Amino acid sequence: MNKKLHVLKYITLDVIAAGIVWTLFFLFRKAYIEPLKYGYEVPKIYEHVVKLDIKNGNTKWQDAILLELIQMDDYKTFNNLGKDAEPPPGYK
């Protein structure tokens, strides 16, 4: 077999294998590793928050979300200028 063709096949199959392995590890990490932070399950959607609170018999996640929303309102984090408002000065 031609040596250049052999090397080309080796490199091509190596790239394909690396892509497959990276994809499988990425999916494994998203499903099993990332939901846990420092040993605690971290919800990504609100329904999961409610399920965790019911499972744990408390409302700590919901209280944390409520506190964050209250603080965003207290510090006036967002200012609704309306649908047809001009961008504020300095907007890029």
Side-chain angles (χ1 to χ4, degrees):
M1 184 191 281
N2 187 354
K3 186 174 181 176
K4 288 183 181 181
L5 182 61
H6 187 68
V7 170
L8 182 64
K9 283 183 181 180
Y10 175 79
I11 291 173
T12 304
L13 292 175
D14 189 50
V15 168
I16 291 171
I20 291 171
V21 169
W22 186 89
T23 302
L24 290 175
F25 178 71
F26 178 81
L27 295 173
F28 172 79
R29 182 173 55 99
K30 290 294 182 184
Y32 295 103
I33 296 173
E34 283 191 6
L36 297 177
K37 300 286 184 189
Y38 304 107
Y40 294 100
E41 191 172 359
V42 179
K44 293 188 179 202
I45 59 173
Y46 187 73
E47 288 80 14
H48 192 203
V49 167
V50 174
K51 288 179 184 178
L52 280 177
D53 280 349
I54 291 171
K55 177 180 152 186
N56 294 328
N58 59 34
T59 60
K60 289 184 178 182
W61 279 107
Q62 293 177 51
D63 295 342
I65 291 172
L66 182 61
L67 176 65
E68 188 171 344
L69 291 173
I70 289 171
Q71 287 180 341
M72 283 194 305
D73 191 42
D74 289 345
Y75 294 117
K76 297 180 179 21
T77 305
F78 299 103
N79 187 12
N80 186 357
L81 300 175
K83 182 178 178 183
D84 297 322
E86 291 291 322
Y91 177 77
K92 293 182 180 181

